[in-house]
Amino acid sequence: MPRLEANVDAVKMDAIAGGCYIAAMSQAPANKPSGAYHHGDLRAQLLDVAARLLREEGEEGLSMRRLAQELGVSRTAPYHHFSDKHSLLCGIAEEGFRRFRQVNADAELWNVDTFSEASLQAFVRRYVNFAVSNAEYYDLMFGGKLWKSAALTASLKAEAYTAFREYVDHFRQLQAGGIFAANFDPLRYAQLSWSTLHGMSRLLIDGIYLDSSTVEEMCNTAAAMFWRQCRPLNTSG
């Protein structure tokens, strides 16, 4: 997964900055079937179809030409939104972070007045369920292929940084609300808890943990461990 910097103010992942190579395309556009797509939503459709192809066939089944064929558009149409396949993969990872943020944005989950070990259980289950159910996104969101690339897109970095910053901010706000002790370190806690959930999710996605009946118990055990480590002031919750 992307390495997370220890700077409390910045809260940034350590990633390699880079720009995207803009490929020059010269093919003549093919005739577009009527009703193939509506102008203005092609980018979203490209991402959806690309994610489906990754899920069903793996990366070897994904290409810019294949996307054009699937959507019934000209071979050059995808290049108006993604300069090449690498840019497309970055776009899929970016969409994954965007969806991940939506899954964990529930205000009730992080409510200062009701936060408890059960809240952490709910978060852990959401994280693991998202990762396992959306492996085609998750693989790219935390895969070294993109994060070690010199052509990592700025928009992907921004979405990833935002996802982690929001996670840290949840614990900062809970600390400010008197849930956690003053010596609780939200950043370190966020780094370690996120890393733990990533490792558990990765083992499930890769088929190393095969007994799905134990997932609920694993999630509850992880939440209990997180609850103890965050040193809540009110241990009766």
Side-chain angles (χ1 to χ4, degrees):
M1 95 183 258
R3 294 174 294 169
L4 308 178
E5 290 291 347
N7 186 309
V8 176
D9 294 325
V11 191
K12 291 184 177 179
M13 297 180 183
D14 179 25
I16 303 172
C20 291
Y21 171 76
I22 308 300
M25 300 302 299
S26 59
Q27 296 99 322
N31 291 328
K32 180 180 70 176
S34 62
Y37 71 94
H38 298 289
H39 180 72
D41 66 356
L42 179 58
R43 187 181 191 280
Q45 292 192 27
L46 288 168
L47 290 173
D48 287 344
V49 173
R52 175 176 61 78
L53 290 174
L54 286 175
R55 181 173 60 252
E56 295 175 353
E57 303 180 26
E59 191 173 332
E60 62 274 11
L62 176 63
S63 68
M64 301 294 272
R65 178 173 294 203
R66 174 73 182 280
L67 280 181
Q69 292 173 341
E70 290 281 330
L71 288 169
V73 298
S74 71
R75 288 179 294 176
T76 61
Y79 291 93
H80 293 302
H81 301 275
F82 302 101
S83 59
D84 53 22
K85 182 177 178 179
H86 180 86
S87 174
L88 172 66
L89 293 175
C90 285
I92 298 170
E94 181 182 339
E95 176 63 20
F97 276 111
R98 190 174 296 110
R99 295 184 181 198
F100 175 80
R101 289 173 57 204
Q102 293 174 350
V103 166
N104 296 296
D106 186 357
E108 276 302 307
L109 193 66
W110 308 102
N111 190 315
V112 172
D113 297 326
T114 59
F115 188 78
S116 65
E117 184 176 340
S119 303
L120 281 176
Q121 289 176 349
F123 167 71
V124 170
R125 287 194 295 269
R126 288 185 184 195
Y127 186 110
V128 173
N129 287 340
F130 174 86
V132 174
S133 301
N134 299 275
E136 64 274 17
Y137 291 99
Y138 197 83
D139 286 343
L140 293 173
M141 289 165 62
F142 298 104
K145 177 176 180 177
L146 296 185
W147 286 97
K148 292 179 180 179
S149 167
L152 190 71
T153 60
S155 56
L156 170 55
K157 286 192 292 183
E159 197 67 41
Y161 296 158
T162 299
F164 182 67
R165 185 181 65 247
E166 289 176 348
Y167 183 53
V168 177
D169 285 346
H170 288 314
F171 296 109
R172 284 179 171 160
Q173 292 164 7
L174 290 169
Q175 185 181 39
I179 300 297
F180 304 139
N183 61 346
F184 171 75
D185 187 337
L187 175 63
R188 288 288 177 260
Y189 182 85
Q191 289 174 320
L192 292 174
S193 57
W194 189 313
S195 299
T196 300
L197 295 179
H198 173 71
M200 189 165 72
S201 299
R202 190 71 264 167
L203 291 169
L204 288 166
I205 291 171
D206 292 342
I208 297 173
Y209 287 169
L210 296 175
D211 188 357
S212 59
S213 65
T214 66
V215 173
E216 184 75 12
E217 183 178 352
M218 289 169 59
C219 289
N220 291 340
T221 301
M225 179 180 67
F226 294 159
W227 182 245
R228 290 192 300 270
Q229 290 301 312
C230 69
R231 298 189 292 278
L233 294 177
N234 179 13
T235 57
S236 62

